[in-house]
Amino acid sequence: MEAPRDEVFQAIWDSDRWPSWWRGVESVVTLEEGDEEGVGSLGRYVWKSRLPYRLEFDTRITRVERPHLMEGQASGELAGTGLWRIYEEDGVTAAVYEWNVRTTAPWMNLLAPIARPVFAWNHNVVMGWGAEGLARLLGTRLVAHG
C-alpha cells in the first residue's frame, strides 16, 4: 500500500483496534501488558470468517523490532507462531505475515487432511479483509494483496 512503513506497523502493532477496521476480527482483549513495545503482552483474539465457525486463541508477543518486525506465540484453538515483516520501498509498504500454526480443536484436526485447502482459502480471505481495512484506515490505496 502507498503508506509509510511506520504507520502500517503502528496499525498492526495496535491490535486492540483491529475490530474497528479488520473485518473478521470480532474481539481483541489484552490479558497482560508487556513492556513499552508490547513484548510479553498477552491478547485474546476471536475471529469469524466466511466459514461457519469462530476461532479463539491467545497470542503472546515475543519480539518487536520497530518498524519492521513483530513476532508472537499463539495458544488455544491455534498453536504456533506468527511473524509480521514490514517492508518499504519507493513509498510502497508491504506487510507480510507468516503464520505457522496447527489446530488444536479435535474436529478441525479430524477434517484437516481433507479440508486443508479450504482452511487456507479461508485464511487468505481474512487476510485480504485485513489488507483492505488497513488501506481504508490509513486512507491510502491498496496496491496488491494475496
Side-chain angles (χ1 to χ4, degrees):
M1 66 186 50
E2 296 175 332
R5 178 167 58 177
D6 289 340
E7 291 180 17
V8 172
F9 184 91
Q10 183 62 34
I12 293 169
W13 181 86
D14 190 7
S15 64
D16 287 344
R17 293 189 57 212
W18 288 1
S20 71
W21 60 265
W22 191 332
R23 181 179 168 196
V25 181
E26 288 198 341
S27 67
V28 176
V29 177
T30 299
L31 303 174
E32 296 176 20
E33 297 292 333
D35 67 12
E36 66 279 352
E37 284 299 329
V39 175
S41 67
L42 180 67
R44 176 155 300 145
Y45 299 78
V46 179
W47 296 79
K48 174 73 175 86
S49 62
R50 287 206 185 269
L51 298 178
Y53 64 86
R54 284 178 174 70
L55 280 176
E56 183 174 321
F57 56 91
D58 296 347
T59 298
R60 183 167 307 274
I61 302 302
T62 56
R63 183 167 58 149
V64 175
E65 296 175 14
R66 187 177 288 272
H68 55 84
L69 184 140
M70 186 170 31
E71 184 175 42
Q73 185 72 35
S75 61
E77 291 182 317
L78 296 177
T81 59
L83 177 66
W84 285 101
R85 294 184 190 272
I86 315 295
Y87 304 95
E88 182 179 17
E89 186 174 324
D90 298 328
V92 176
T93 298
V96 178
Y97 190 59
E98 299 169 28
W99 191 223
N100 298 304
V101 295
R102 61 181 169 72
T103 60
T104 63
W107 72 267
M108 288 185 85
N109 290 340
L110 184 64
L111 291 176
I114 57 172
R116 190 171 316 280
V118 175
F119 292 158
W121 166 82
N122 194 57
H123 172 79
N124 290 338
V125 167
V126 171
M127 294 307 287
W129 290 343
E132 293 162 2
L134 183 57
R136 276 192 309 276
L137 175 72
L138 299 177
T140 190
R141 185 171 75 91
L142 183 61
V143 177
H145 71 81

Short mmCIF file of all heavy atoms in Angstrom, two decimals, residues 47 49 60 70 103-104 116 120:
data_model
loop_
_atom_site.label_atom_id
_atom_site.label_comp_id
_atom_site.label_asym_id
_atom_site.label_seq_id
_atom_site.Cartn_x
_atom_site.Cartn_y
_atom_site.Cartn_z
N TRP A 47 -11.88 -14.61 16.07
CA TRP A 47 -12.01 -14.38 14.63
C TRP A 47 -13.23 -15.10 14.10
O TRP A 47 -13.54 -16.21 14.50
CB TRP A 47 -10.79 -14.93 13.90
CG TRP A 47 -9.51 -14.25 14.24
CD1 TRP A 47 -8.74 -14.44 15.34
CD2 TRP A 47 -8.83 -13.26 13.46
NE1 TRP A 47 -7.63 -13.64 15.29
CE2 TRP A 47 -7.66 -12.91 14.15
CE3 TRP A 47 -9.11 -12.66 12.23
CZ2 TRP A 47 -6.76 -11.97 13.66
CZ3 TRP A 47 -8.21 -11.73 11.75
CH2 TRP A 47 -7.06 -11.38 12.45
N SER A 49 -14.91 -15.88 10.15
CA SER A 49 -14.56 -15.80 8.73
C SER A 49 -15.74 -16.17 7.86
O SER A 49 -16.88 -16.17 8.31
CB SER A 49 -13.38 -16.74 8.47
OG SER A 49 -13.80 -18.07 8.77
N ARG A 60 0.96 -14.27 22.67
CA ARG A 60 1.93 -13.54 23.48
C ARG A 60 2.98 -12.97 22.54
O ARG A 60 3.58 -13.69 21.74
CB ARG A 60 2.59 -14.44 24.51
CG ARG A 60 3.56 -13.62 25.38
CD ARG A 60 4.04 -14.32 26.62
NE ARG A 60 3.02 -14.86 27.48
CZ ARG A 60 2.36 -14.19 28.45
NH1 ARG A 60 2.60 -12.90 28.63
NH2 ARG A 60 1.48 -14.82 29.21
N MET A 70 7.49 -7.99 13.97
CA MET A 70 6.78 -8.30 15.21
C MET A 70 6.45 -9.79 15.19
O MET A 70 5.99 -10.32 14.18
CB MET A 70 5.50 -7.48 15.32
CG MET A 70 4.79 -7.65 16.64
SD MET A 70 3.45 -6.47 16.91
CE MET A 70 2.85 -6.14 15.28
N THR A 103 -3.89 -26.59 14.34
CA THR A 103 -5.16 -26.52 15.04
C THR A 103 -5.11 -27.45 16.25
O THR A 103 -4.40 -28.46 16.24
CB THR A 103 -6.32 -26.93 14.12
OG1 THR A 103 -6.10 -28.27 13.67
CG2 THR A 103 -6.44 -26.00 12.93
N THR A 104 -5.85 -27.10 17.28
CA THR A 104 -5.93 -27.94 18.47
C THR A 104 -7.33 -28.49 18.68
O THR A 104 -7.50 -29.42 19.46
CB THR A 104 -5.49 -27.17 19.72
OG1 THR A 104 -6.38 -26.08 19.94
CG2 THR A 104 -4.05 -26.66 19.58
N ARG A 116 -7.75 -28.97 4.38
CA ARG A 116 -6.62 -28.03 4.40
C ARG A 116 -6.74 -26.95 3.32
O ARG A 116 -6.54 -25.77 3.60
CB ARG A 116 -5.30 -28.78 4.28
CG ARG A 116 -4.09 -27.91 4.53
CD ARG A 116 -2.79 -28.71 4.63
NE ARG A 116 -2.86 -29.92 5.41
CZ ARG A 116 -2.80 -29.99 6.75
NH1 ARG A 116 -2.67 -28.88 7.44
NH2 ARG A 116 -2.87 -31.14 7.37
N ALA A 120 -6.96 -22.95 4.17
CA ALA A 120 -6.01 -21.99 3.60
C ALA A 120 -6.73 -20.89 2.84
O ALA A 120 -6.38 -19.71 2.97
CB ALA A 120 -5.03 -22.72 2.68
#
